[in-house]
Amino acid sequence: MSSTIQEDHPGVADAAAAREAFAAWVEAAEEGRVFGQVRVKAVEPGIYSLRHVEDAGNSDLRLHEDPREAREISKTTEGGEYRPLKSSPNLRRGWELRVSGAVDLVVAMNYLYPAGVVHWHAHREGRLEVTSYRENAARQSGIYKRVQRLSDEGVQDTARACCEDAVCLKQTLWDVDEETPLVMDRGEGDIPCPEPCSVFVSLARRVRLFEREKKRDLDAIGLSPSEKEDLAALVEAAATGHVDFAREAEFEKPLNERRMRYRRLTLAPKLRPEAQPVSSA
Amino acid sequence: MRALIIVGHGSHLNEDSSLPVYEHAERIRRTGEFDEVVECFWKEEPSMRHALDTVESDEVFVVPAFISEGYFTQQVIPREFGLDGPVTVKGHKTVRYAGPLGTFEGMPDVILERVEDLMRGRETNGRTALVLLGHGTDLNKNSGGVIYLNAARIRERGLYDEVGVGFLDQKPEIGSVVEDADADDVILIPVFIADGWHTRETIPEDLGLTGEVTHLEGKRVFYGAPVGTHPSMANLIVARARETELLPGKETQVV
């Protein structure tokens, strides 16, 4: 599913037009706009204030005036954990960025939500090029080549585990392929996701490994080795009262949030076949 | 307008992996040579796939912050950017694709600057060996080849009694470079882009290094910082970009 970005130049977004459109969009709303977890507001024409959406009424914020300081702001969570995915809903609070002019505004936005503004604009104009899972997987190589063999069901479960608003604020626009739409809550946010990202592909690779063991290594009650590993880790964590969560994109470890979200979709129904499917949000 | 895009590997787990790319980008930004300087990564955002979307310039230079010519520079980066050669025209944009940093003729100078940093205020005694440490892999001969290339270029200058190499994933292994050096003083320089797991943990552990200076097997071993984080790498990135302007014009390869 590809559409043209510019009539005469397919695949080339117009970053300058996006910049002006974004600044105008922000200026048009007196209370500002919410983009991801950031409230962007024009405090006077051409002067923009950015802060965490939950810091709207907070006057005790650390002020930054260099738009490139947005990179440090977006790098770690409140608890100091590295954020490999900037659209995760774990942007830290306590800061205000005050920048002058649309160029600096977009510099800051691109560190908070990389390529978010240009994709927002292209999507609004109906010209955002979208790449399906299968198209993306087809070009993978090396250790990621195996994601080509991930089943449609595996793609669906991975997307629900990796892309819903609870873990990513982008609006998922891509599908499994042209005929197979994703069945999930795609999100309501203003930042479009035109293609599976590297975090998604990395989780997809892990899920493909799970699929392979399901075929050959199931025990008498139908559990795979990695499912048992995850259950053991959960039992251990609960028994000691110490849950040592894996890092956000550390999918090879049992106590990873997205890996557990995948287990909720695929393992929980196996353990409780009589129960209603859990809402995945 | 002219844009420079620096491509790094990046990491899903390690926040320091991309730091050299950001620091070199900032150094280059301050020179004003490019209207835009943008960072992008394989494992971080913005992805290589979307980096071109974010630049406004019509003249774009893509420089990989990678040491060797190989899987990433020959396969992954061109594929993700949609490049079909050294010069690709995409819409209004002419995209010039540069070679990796490690093979560039200016690389030995940066390695020697790293040695200078390490040895400032220190004197060598007796026979002195310089050993370049690389990742290497048996899967691609270019990965180790670039380390041999730089060792040969430095050897030609006749500055050290010997210039050797050592690798993490191929022979000769890093663990034996000190033992194998026929020297009283051994200077080790990691030819890596970032300061991370390999430079801080695997290499010191393989060799039993305790800091910048370690006494091992009757030799003094000096261990330097990785070449890739040296400020002069920014000049190398720019030189790589400039070099692409000598390539044939855009008229020849229209996509």
Side-chain angles (χ1 to χ4, degrees):
Chain A
M1 186 169 77
S2 298
S3 53
T4 306
I5 298 280
Q6 289 175 344
E7 305 279 325
D8 47 344
H9 298 304
V12 180
D14 189 341
R19 160 171 46 87
E20 292 310 313
F22 185 76
W25 181 65
V26 168
E27 302 233 5
E30 202 178 319
E31 73 286 9
R33 302 281 189 183
V34 174
F35 202 72
Q37 284 180 291
V38 175
R39 180 170 289 280
V40 194
K41 190 175 159 181
V43 285
E44 52 188 278
I47 306 289
Y48 304 96
S49 164
L50 292 71
R51 54 174 72 187
H52 193 287
V53 70
E54 285 166 32
D55 280 335
N58 195 343
S59 55
D60 183 25
L61 299 175
R62 185 159 175 209
L63 183 68
H64 302 261
E65 290 180 316
D66 177 351
R68 296 196 185 275
E69 285 175 21
R71 181 169 74 79
E72 279 300 317
I73 291 168
S74 70
K75 193 162 86 176
T76 50
T77 65
E78 206 82 62
E81 291 268 329
Y82 172 51
R83 301 175 70 233
L85 186 67
K86 302 305 179 214
S87 45
S88 255
N90 56 7
L91 182 68
R92 68 178 156 98
R93 296 178 49 184
W95 51 272
E96 181 188 358
L97 257 167
R98 204 168 269 246
V99 297
S100 168
V103 169
D104 279 2
L105 171 62
V106 172
V107 166
M109 292 309 298
N110 273 338
Y111 283 117
L112 294 164
Y113 295 105
V117 167
V118 73
H119 288 161
W120 163 85
H121 179 247
H123 186 44
R124 264 165 61 113
E125 303 274 301
R127 300 187 300 195
L128 180 61
E129 190 175 8
V130 174
T131 304
S132 74
Y133 176 78
R134 294 286 169 216
E135 286 174 271
N136 176 290
R139 60 168 214 269
Q140 299 297 329
S141 57
I143 63 166
Y144 296 106
K145 198 170 172 62
R146 66 173 74 235
V147 302
Q148 291 167 3
R149 302 177 72 92
L150 185 65
S151 69
D152 282 4
E153 191 188 358
V155 179
Q156 297 282 6
D157 288 337
T158 308
R160 290 168 69 190
C162 195
C163 309
E164 289 187 340
D165 277 354
V167 281
C168 178
L169 296 173
K170 282 189 179 178
Q171 191 186 129
T172 314
L173 299 183
W174 46 273
D175 290 302
V176 182
D177 58 33
E178 278 182 37
E179 277 85 45
T180 320
L182 283 178
V183 182
M184 62 175 283
D185 184 350
R186 291 172 182 268
E188 300 294 318
D190 276 301
I191 312 172
C193 173
E195 172 164 7
C197 67
S198 74
V199 169
F200 183 90
V201 173
S202 179
L203 181 60
R205 175 174 177 269
R206 186 58 46 185
V207 171
R208 175 59 198 153
L209 292 169
F210 295 157
E211 281 188 346
R212 279 169 56 96
E213 60 174 6
K214 271 187 199 163
K215 284 194 184 130
R216 55 176 197 213
D217 301 322
L218 297 194
D219 69 4
I221 53 167
L223 293 181
S224 68
S226 71
E227 285 173 333
K228 286 189 280 194
E229 188 194 355
D230 287 11
L231 288 170
L234 285 166
V235 169
E236 189 64 28
T240 57
H242 177 69
V243 186
D244 192 10
F245 279 110
R247 289 175 285 178
E248 185 168 0
E250 204 170 15
F251 303 127
E252 66 277 21
K253 292 242 177 105
L255 300 183
N256 172 277
E257 186 181 0
R258 285 177 176 81
R259 177 165 164 153
M260 280 294 137
R261 287 172 57 85
Y262 172 76
R263 293 299 192 206
R264 182 165 62 179
L265 296 164
T266 57
L267 173 59
K270 239 186 338 187
L271 299 171
R272 287 184 305 199
E274 71 290 348
Q276 292 294 311
V278 219
S279 149
S280 60
Chain B
M1 280 172 73
R2 288 151 56 92
L4 172 67
I5 300 181
I6 308 175
V7 187
H9 188 285
S11 167
H12 285 162
L13 302 176
N14 173 5
E15 66 185 62
D16 296 330
S17 166
S18 53
L19 188 62
V21 168
Y22 285 115
E23 289 182 341
H24 298 320
E26 190 51 38
R27 288 183 186 107
I28 297 167
R29 221 169 260 134
R30 286 199 296 261
T31 69
E33 176 157 349
F34 298 89
D35 300 290
E36 298 172 277
V37 181
V38 169
E39 311 91 349
C40 73
F41 303 92
W42 172 230
K43 292 283 207 156
E44 292 177 35
E45 301 164 284
S47 65
M48 306 179 198
R49 187 80 173 148
H50 296 138
L52 277 176
D53 290 345
T54 67
V55 303
E56 299 182 12
S57 303
D58 43 15
E59 193 78 17
V60 183
F61 301 84
V62 175
V63 180
F66 284 75
I67 295 288
S68 66
E69 190 78 78
Y71 176 59
F72 280 101
T73 61
Q74 291 172 332
Q75 197 175 332
V76 176
I77 298 173
R79 178 188 80 205
E80 294 297 301
F81 273 93
L83 306 179
D84 58 357
V87 185
T88 305
V89 176
K90 295 173 83 71
H92 296 293
K93 291 182 169 71
T94 300
V95 185
R96 295 174 183 278
Y97 181 44
L101 304 177
T103 53
F104 193 55
E105 58 191 17
M107 186 68 170
D109 292 315
V110 185
I111 294 172
L112 292 174
E113 284 184 61
R114 261 295 174 236
V115 177
E116 221 172 279
D117 293 344
L118 175 64
M119 301 308 289
R120 194 163 294 129
R122 293 176 172 137
E123 299 238 341
T124 53
N125 292 313
R127 279 179 63 83
T128 303
L130 171 67
V131 183
L132 306 186
L133 307 177
H135 193 289
T137 166
D138 288 332
L139 301 175
N140 187 326
K141 65 177 169 40
N142 292 332
S143 174
V146 67
I147 308 298
Y148 280 105
L149 173 73
N150 282 284
R153 284 174 173 170
I154 293 173
R155 203 173 290 129
E156 280 169 13
R157 303 189 190 192
L159 300 167
Y160 302 95
D161 297 299
E162 65 180 63
V163 181
V165 299
F167 299 101
L168 286 172
D169 277 357
Q170 71 182 61
K171 289 184 174 161
E173 283 167 7
I174 279 176
S176 58
V177 294
V178 172
E179 190 187 329
D180 293 346
D182 178 17
D184 305 294
D185 282 347
V186 183
I187 301 169
L188 305 175
I189 299 292
V191 185
F192 286 73
I193 287 291
D195 201 10
W197 185 54
H198 289 316
T199 56
R200 287 189 210 139
E201 291 178 43
T202 46
I203 296 173
E205 277 170 21
D206 280 0
L207 282 160
L209 304 178
T210 53
E212 281 193 344
V213 188
T214 309
H215 292 269
L216 282 177
E217 306 180 27
K219 297 167 186 171
R220 278 198 309 168
V221 181
F222 301 89
Y223 181 52
V227 175
T229 59
H230 196 285
S232 296
M233 288 299 275
N235 302 332
L236 224 62
I237 292 170
V238 172
R240 268 303 198 199
R242 285 186 195 140
E243 182 189 52
T244 64
E245 292 190 282
L246 305 172
L247 295 168
K250 57 186 166 185
E251 299 76 20
T252 52
Q253 299 181 40
V254 176
V255 178

